[in-house]
Amino acid sequence: MPSFKSWAAAMLMAAASLAAISPSQAADAKPWSLGLSAGYSYDNNVNVSALDVKAGKGDTIANFGLDAGYKLVDEKSSKLSVSYDFSQSLHTTLSNFDIQSHELGMSGTTDWGHTTLGLSYSFYHLLLAGRSFLDMQVVNPSISGFVAPHFYLRASYFYYRNSFYTYVARDASHHEPHMTLFYFFNGAKSYLSLDAQYQIENTTGAEYDYKGYAFTASVQQPLDLGFTTVKFKAGYTYLRRNYDNITPSIGVKRYENRSTVQASAEVPLTSRLAFTVEDRYMDRNSNLLSTKYKENVIDGTLRYNF
């Protein structure tokens, strides 16, 4: 899975899924959506994990984003929409790590009895330091529904096809079944979730083939401060990867495990403007030295929805 977008794409997909399943979500009258964001972050160990490359030092980063969507079908039992997302990171000193991302997507859902069937497709084009870096295609079928009062289950499958412009040995097909259980409470304003996934990646270069798994536990809880309500989220993810073949540089099969803790708070400033602060800490352990490090990213972002 490509490094730069691995956590970002995961967060975007999770946000889209929760927006679709939350029983308190109100339908938006307009067929289009448009959002702009700008933020500033500090990363104490800048890296591109898809290439097993790290700077070994920190940097401050300006981040900009734009996302747009249009509902082609917006009926009670069926939805179909198209979207475009743009993001750009600009490092203060480590400009070789600047990432620009373009995503085109289409997603649809339809009700089938008491369940919802979903299918989405996304195409990503990423640039690293201003040069074409990676094309990624993602197909995601899913089935979801309430299995008991307050309990919502979503089974999904992700297929990634990664094509690198220079690092062709890392070209890969990636298979990733997911199972996520949500427990909604507090009038569906809050939830607890447990997610399990299995990963199989087959690459052009045999040393990069691996199988792995990951578990995530997360919570969302609104915090009433009197003058405003803050949306608080927190989660923990454990990931394990076992590589199928010997890595020549170390003479043995590679392994990797990651523990990631993240927390965020979204503060509404107006009906359309919000500020989000997030802290993410990752401990990445491996018998390949270049992939063994700790990283902490603190980010603040302003977002305006039109």
Side-chain angles (χ1 to χ4, degrees):
M1 191 183 299
S3 63
F4 167 78
K5 293 300 285 186
S6 60
W7 73 270
M11 291 298 290
L12 287 171
M13 290 177 183
S17 300
L18 290 173
I21 65 178
S22 175
S24 66
Q25 182 71 29
D28 194 341
K30 63 180 183 292
W32 58 270
S33 63
L34 179 64
L36 296 174
S37 64
Y40 204 64
S41 60
Y42 175 72
D43 186 342
N44 74 339
N45 196 345
V46 176
N47 64 86
V48 181
S49 62
L51 302 180
D52 301 328
V53 172
K54 59 183 178 182
K57 58 182 178 180
D59 200 2
T60 52
I61 309 155
N63 301 291
F64 303 94
L66 177 149
D67 57 88
Y70 188 83
K71 299 174 184 177
L72 300 172
V73 177
D74 189 17
E75 300 176 354
K76 183 177 180 180
S77 61
S78 298
K79 313 284 184 184
L80 180 65
S81 62
V82 292
S83 62
Y84 169 73
D85 291 271
F86 167 84
S87 66
Q88 174 73 63
S89 68
L90 296 172
H91 292 72
T92 302
T93 59
L94 300 173
S95 59
N96 285 340
F97 290 85
D98 290 350
I99 290 279
Q100 183 181 114
S101 171
H102 302 265
E103 179 199 354
L104 289 172
M106 175 176 283
S107 63
T109 61
T110 187
D111 292 342
W112 183 46
H114 296 292
T115 62
T116 299
L117 303 178
L119 179 63
S120 67
Y121 170 81
S122 295
F123 174 80
Y124 295 86
H125 176 64
L126 280 73
L127 293 86
L128 176 64
R131 295 181 292 274
S132 292
F133 169 56
L134 168 68
D135 287 340
M136 176 173 65
Q137 299 182 72
V138 184
V139 180
N140 173 217
S142 65
I143 182 170
S144 55
F146 281 95
V147 294
H150 306 288
F151 287 92
Y152 194 92
L153 183 65
R154 185 175 191 267
S156 61
Y157 168 81
F158 289 91
Y159 172 75
Y160 296 79
R161 181 62 189 174
N162 304 330
S163 300
F164 289 84
Y165 280 77
T166 303
Y167 309 93
V168 294
R170 295 179 182 269
D171 288 356
S173 59
H174 182 97
H175 305 269
E176 193 171 298
H178 275 247
M179 188 74 73
T180 310
L181 179 65
F182 296 89
Y183 172 69
F184 289 99
F185 60 99
N186 188 27
K189 297 177 183 178
S190 308
Y191 70 79
L192 297 170
S193 71
L194 295 174
D195 177 89
Q197 59 176 269
Y198 186 72
Q199 303 174 348
I200 302 173
E201 181 148 305
N202 298 309
T203 59
T204 301
E207 68 179 282
Y208 302 116
D209 291 349
Y210 69 81
K211 296 178 180 65
Y213 57 86
F215 299 99
T216 299
S218 59
V219 60
Q220 175 179 295
Q221 174 68 39
L223 302 176
D224 188 356
L225 302 182
F227 61 93
T228 190
T229 299
V230 175
K231 183 187 294 184
F232 174 78
K233 295 181 181 179
Y236 169 79
T237 298
Y238 175 80
L239 179 147
R240 173 77 184 194
R241 289 177 179 173
N242 295 309
Y243 286 76
D244 298 338
N245 303 299
I246 290 175
T247 299
S249 62
I250 56 177
V252 295
K253 292 182 179 181
R254 174 179 162 190
Y255 70 83
E256 178 180 327
N257 56 65
R258 305 182 197 180
S259 291
T260 305
V261 180
Q262 61 188 56
S264 67
E266 180 183 300
V267 183
L269 304 177
T270 70
S271 61
R272 297 183 180 275
L273 181 66
F275 176 72
T276 300
V277 60
E278 181 177 51
D279 190 4
R280 177 174 60 90
Y281 173 80
M282 181 176 67
D283 186 349
R284 186 177 182 185
N285 188 32
S286 175
N287 59 345
L288 180 63
L289 186 60
S290 61
T291 65
K292 182 178 181 179
Y293 57 84
K294 295 179 174 65
E295 180 185 22
N296 191 57
V297 181
I298 301 173
D299 177 77
T301 302
L302 274 173
R303 177 180 171 82
Y304 186 84
N305 293 311
F306 288 87

